[in-house]
Every structure is written in C-alpha cells, then in structure tokens.
Amino acid sequence: MASDRDGAWDREGPPLRRSEPRRGEGNDLRATPFTEEVFEDERNRMSRGRPIGLNVGVVLGAVILGGVWEGYARHESFDHCLQTTLDRLHEAGIATIIVLDVAYQSCDVPLALARSEWVGRTTGSLGLPADSWRAQREHVNATIRRLAKGKAFILDPAPAFVSEDGFWHATIDGKAVYFDEHHLSAFGSMRLRSMFEQILSEITSADDGK
C-alpha cells in the first residue's frame, strides 16, 4: 500500500500542460469573480443533472471531480453531462482531475471496530478483495475513462488502501480508514495527500514551463 508519504502514484491523462483558453465562446473564466451567488447557481445546476456552466467567469487553475460515480451513472443524462463538463473545462484551459470511487465496505467500519473492542476481539482483516470491487465498478470506470480521454487526469485511490495480496483494507494499523461504509475518515483521507500533491505539483510545473 502507498502511504501518505509515498511520492509515486499511477495516473492516467493527457500531457501535463493546460490548454490555452479559447476566447469569445463564453468560456473566458476571467470575466467575473467567483462569488457566493455563482457557487449557489452552479451547485443548483449540478443538482438538477445539468453540466457545469462555465460562462460564469471563474479564475481556476485546476478542478477536481469526485463523488459517487456509480450513483451518478444511473441517470440517463450522465454521459452527456460529464462529457459537456469536461469539454468546457478543456476548452477553458483548466486542468481537470477525476478521482475514482473508493471501495464500499459491507459494514460501518468505526462501529465494527468499537464492537470488537467492546467484546475484546480483533476485527481481523476488515475489508474486501480489491478485484471484486473493480469488477463492480468496471462499467462506470470504463465510461469515465472513455469520456475523459485526452481531457482529464484520472486518479485511482486504490494504492493507498490495497495491500500486495490484493486486499482493500478498511482499517490500517488499527485505525478506521472510513467513518461509515463508504466515506473516508480523516485518517483515510490523509493517506491520499501525496496523490493530490503530486498531480497538482506536476500541473503547476507544466504551467511554469510554458
């Protein structure tokens, strides 16, 4: 497993250089400031299943997209909305990063740890085989990779939690990686710190080299 101090992470994506914004097409992201009203408008837009409206004039260097992709993919408009969002970000010259889902566990991880502690038992190997999780998400991950090709970086958080034997751990060193069945705890989230630091550093270095 990669730790929060490791520096090597696999990533998929286009060359590490943001494209030049295309002007005059409603995608000039330096037109207006990013206000609270703009944020609310965009949040409401996305909650209605619509793509991000990038004519709002936001000054952005990189955008990170993450969420419950399997749930989003159930909507018939998913492909169109994600494709449109990625197209607009790419045209605006904004580096886009998509983070794949973490594995869903079969139980509330902290609760399982607490119950085991209460009765004086160890939890053993709390988690699931990584291959079974990948099989469950094969379709949606393939869709994301197809839509993101040449327009976004794809980061897989699995190396932070999967051991050499292919097991996705819900606990590491006796600490809960999750705060329920599928949301990372603060401890689990910090194991991804170097993943984000690496990709953002590469994007920044590529921009500096323009």
Side-chain angles (χ1 to χ4, degrees):
M1 289 181 289
S3 75
D4 59 339
R5 292 182 297 276
D6 289 339
W9 289 84
D10 294 332
R11 65 140 178 99
E12 307 166 35
L16 284 170
R17 186 178 294 277
R18 291 193 282 126
S19 59
E20 289 298 324
R22 290 165 55 183
R23 305 300 183 183
E25 300 181 9
N27 288 314
D28 185 350
L29 299 195
R30 300 179 182 276
T32 57
F34 188 68
T35 64
E36 184 175 346
E37 290 75 16
V38 166
F39 174 81
E40 288 299 326
D41 179 67
E42 291 306 299
R43 187 173 68 171
N44 291 333
R45 180 191 297 270
M46 287 185 283
S47 70
R48 295 193 299 270
R50 297 172 60 191
I52 296 174
L54 289 181
N55 58 345
V56 296
V58 186
V59 180
L60 297 173
V63 168
I64 299 173
L65 302 177
V68 186
W69 293 114
E70 182 72 14
Y72 300 155
R74 296 193 187 105
H75 296 278
E76 61 181 21
S77 61
F78 173 72
D79 287 28
H80 168 71
C81 287
L82 181 57
Q83 184 71 80
T84 303
T85 296
L86 294 176
D87 286 346
R88 291 179 178 177
L89 288 167
H90 183 68
E91 290 170 0
I94 297 173
T96 306
I97 302 163
I98 296 177
V99 183
L100 300 181
D101 287 341
V102 296
Y104 281 33
Q105 302 298 326
S106 61
C107 63
D108 184 303
V109 177
L111 183 59
L113 281 175
R115 285 174 173 171
S116 297
E117 184 73 19
W118 179 260
V119 299
R121 291 201 309 254
T122 60
T123 57
S125 297
L126 193 59
L128 74 167
D131 285 346
S132 67
W133 168 253
R134 292 189 177 103
Q136 294 175 37
R137 290 298 186 268
E138 182 177 4
H139 176 71
V140 66
N141 286 347
T143 298
I144 290 172
R145 289 186 169 95
R146 173 175 55 82
L147 298 176
K149 188 175 182 179
K151 296 176 182 175
F153 308 103
I154 296 178
L155 297 180
D156 187 350
F161 312 111
V162 179
S163 51
E164 292 183 357
D165 61 358
F167 193 78
W168 191 303
H169 293 267
T171 63
I172 297 174
D173 298 331
K175 299 178 182 179
V177 170
Y178 296 77
F179 73 74
D180 55 14
E181 296 92 344
H182 63 279
H183 293 97
L184 293 180
S185 64
F187 170 72
S189 298
M190 287 304 294
R191 291 186 65 82
L192 300 179
R193 177 174 177 172
S194 65
M195 179 181 78
F196 288 108
E197 287 180 339
Q198 177 179 315
I199 190 65
L200 292 174
S201 176
E202 291 181 29
I203 292 172
T204 300
S205 297
D207 287 344
D208 292 341
K210 285 187 177 181

